[in-house]
Amino acid sequence: MIRYGIIGCGHIAKKHKKAIDDVDGAKLVRVCDKDPDKLTHFTEQGVSGSTDVMEILTSPDVDVVNICTPSGLHADLTVRAAEQGKHIVVEKPMALTLTDAVRMVQACDHHGVQLSVVHPNRFRPAIRALRCRVEEGAFGTFSHANATVRWNRDQEYYDQASWRGTRRMDGGVLMNQAIHNLDLLLWMMGEVEKVSSFHSTRLRNIETEDTSVSILTFKNGALGVVEAAVTLYPRNLEESLSLFGETGTAVVGGPTANWIQAWKFADMTDGETEAVMRRVNDNPYGIPGHHCLIQDMTEAVQKGSRPLVTGEDGMRALSLAVACQRSAETGQSVYIDDLLEEFVGKEGEMK
C-alpha cells in the first residue's frame, strides 16, 4: 500500500483524493492546509488533517506527497519533501521559474525520490489516439501545428483569491490555463527551436497577461501557433490541438480538448476514420487523468520505475511558457536552447 499526503486543500485537492481513493494500492492518510476550514471536507471522511506542513513532510506513514498549493509555492515544498525522502506529485505548472524547476528536479535526483508533474490531459482518449498516430508516423512530414486555449476567467474568478493573477503565485494565462496544451503540443511535435510572442493584459485587473499569441519554429522545421486567452465572452469557447502534415490532418477540440473534430490520414479508409471518431467521441473523457497519474505513481513507487510524466517533462512545458513570456517582454525572438543554457549545461547536466 502506497500512502499519500496532500498539501493544499483547495478545489484541485478533491480530485486528488478521489483518484487516490479509486486506485488499488493507494491510500490517502494525511492532508494539510494553513486554513483549518479547508481540512473539514477531508477530516470528516476519516483522513488526518493538520495546519502544520512538517507533520506531513516528516511523517513516517506518508510515502508520496501531493502538492496542490498555489503555483508559486510548489518549488520550496517539493525540495523540502524530497529532503524528507518523500516521492512527489506536483500540480501544474511545476513552478513559475526555470530556476525553481531545476531546484526541484535536482533535489529529487539527489535524494532518490520520484517526481511526477500533473499533466492529466495526456490520458484523454482523443489525445492518446493522436499520440498513437504521431508514433506511427501517420502525418509524414509535419507542416505546422496550433495549440489554442480560448477560455473565460472573469474578474470574479481572480478576486476569489489574492494569489490569482499575480506573477509570484499564478503566472498568467500561459502558466495557469495553457500549460497543459503546451505540454501536449511538445509531446506531439517535439522540441521547439525559437519563439516570437506577444502578450497583453486587455480585460482583467491582474498583474499577468490575460491574452497571449506566439509563433513557434520547431526543431523538425515545422511551424506552430499558440493562442491563449481568458478573455472570451461569456464562457469557455475552445481548447484545441491541431496537427497538419503531408499525409495527415487531425484536430482535437471542443470547450476542452476531448473530442476528435477532424481525422484524415492517407493510410485510413473513411470507414476506419469513422470508427475511430465514434469510439473516442462516444466516451470522450475516459478514465480521469488524475486517476491515471496516481495509478502510475503508485506503480512507479512499488516497482522503483520512473513515472510517465516526469519532472523533466514538466520543465519542458515550463521552458516554452517562460520563453514566450520573455519574448513578449523583450520584443525579441527567444531560442529555447539559449534559454535552457542559463540553467542547464550543454551536456544536459543541470547547473
Side-chain angles (χ1 to χ4, degrees):
M1 184 67 67
I2 303 303
R3 301 159 299 178
Y4 285 80
I6 294 175
I7 300 175
C9 294
H11 167 74
I12 201 66
K14 295 176 183 178
K15 284 191 175 183
H16 283 252
K17 181 184 185 305
K18 177 169 176 49
I20 294 166
D21 290 345
D22 290 346
V23 169
D24 291 338
K27 182 179 182 180
L28 179 62
V29 296
R30 289 182 179 270
V31 294
C32 175
D33 197 288
K34 65 180 181 180
D35 182 351
D37 291 339
K38 292 184 178 180
L39 299 173
T40 304
H41 173 81
F42 302 89
T43 57
E44 287 180 345
Q45 299 179 60
V47 180
S48 177
S50 173
T51 58
D52 182 359
V53 70
M54 290 307 296
E55 289 193 15
I56 277 188
L57 296 183
T58 61
S59 173
D61 63 357
V62 172
D63 304 304
V64 183
V65 170
N66 291 33
I67 299 174
C68 301
T69 62
S71 303
L73 301 176
H74 290 175
D76 285 346
L77 287 169
T78 295
V79 171
R80 293 168 69 186
E83 291 171 346
Q84 297 297 327
K86 309 301 183 188
H87 304 284
I88 298 131
V89 175
V90 62
E91 264 294 337
K92 61 80 185 173
M94 66 181 295
L96 296 180
T97 70
L98 284 173
T99 298
D100 278 344
V102 169
R103 284 201 300 130
M104 295 163 74
V105 173
Q106 285 182 330
C108 292
D109 287 347
H110 178 73
H111 293 284
V113 298
Q114 300 293 356
L115 173 61
S116 180
V117 181
V118 177
H119 282 299
N121 296 6
R122 290 191 182 199
F123 300 94
R124 292 172 173 175
I127 297 300
R128 286 188 168 189
L130 185 61
R131 174 67 180 178
C132 285
R133 293 272 70 193
V134 170
E135 291 178 343
E136 292 164 355
F139 288 90
T141 299
F142 280 113
S143 61
H144 64 295
N146 285 27
T148 303
V149 177
R150 295 169 175 162
W151 281 352
N152 174 276
R153 297 292 184 270
D154 60 17
Q155 192 61 46
E156 182 181 356
Y157 165 85
Y158 289 102
D159 292 343
Q160 287 175 359
S162 60
W163 64 270
R164 289 182 175 171
T166 65
R167 297 188 186 281
R168 191 170 66 89
M169 289 292 170
D170 179 293
V173 64
L174 286 170
M175 296 286 192
N176 200 352
Q177 282 77 32
I179 196 74
H180 287 315
N181 225 10
L182 297 185
D183 172 68
L184 296 180
L185 181 66
L186 294 169
W187 198 38
M188 302 298 173
M189 296 293 294
E191 295 183 24
V192 171
E193 181 179 11
K194 69 175 180 178
V195 304
S196 297
S197 301
F198 302 87
H199 69 207
S200 181
T201 307
R202 292 290 297 164
L203 302 181
R204 307 296 176 239
N205 182 24
I206 56 178
E207 292 180 359
T208 56
E209 80 280 354
D210 61 18
T211 308
S212 177
V213 177
S214 302
I215 305 297
L216 317 180
T217 302
F218 291 92
K219 288 188 175 180
N220 61 17
L223 301 179
V225 176
V226 173
E227 176 193 340
V230 289
T231 56
L232 271 290
Y233 177 84
R235 62 186 64 87
N236 289 359
L237 176 66
E238 174 187 2
E239 176 194 21
S240 63
L241 184 66
S242 306
L243 307 185
F244 307 100
E246 61 179 336
T247 54
T249 290
V251 178
V252 176
T256 54
N258 284 87
W259 290 267
I260 295 177
Q261 297 181 320
W263 198 262
K264 295 292 184 181
F265 294 95
D267 65 350
M268 294 183 70
T269 66
D270 288 344
E272 291 169 334
T273 297
E274 291 172 4
V276 171
M277 294 183 68
R278 184 168 53 251
R279 173 176 57 81
V280 170
N281 292 346
D282 283 350
N283 181 27
Y285 297 104
I287 300 172
H290 281 77
H291 177 110
C292 296
L293 283 164
I294 295 300
Q295 181 174 347
D296 173 61
M297 176 56 100
T298 300
E299 294 174 356
V301 174
Q302 290 171 336
K303 300 175 182 178
S305 58
R306 296 269 283 169
L308 292 174
V309 187
T310 64
E312 289 82 0
D313 291 327
M315 197 160 71
R316 288 186 189 95
L318 178 65
S319 299
L320 180 53
V322 169
C324 291
Q325 289 182 331
R326 180 175 292 190
S327 175
E329 290 163 1
T330 63
Q332 303 292 322
S333 295
V334 173
Y335 285 80
I336 300 291
D337 285 351
D338 291 345
L339 177 68
L340 289 175
E341 281 184 24
E342 296 179 22
F343 307 93
V344 183
K346 291 183 178 180
E347 301 303 318
E349 295 183 1
M350 294 182 184
K351 295 181 179 179

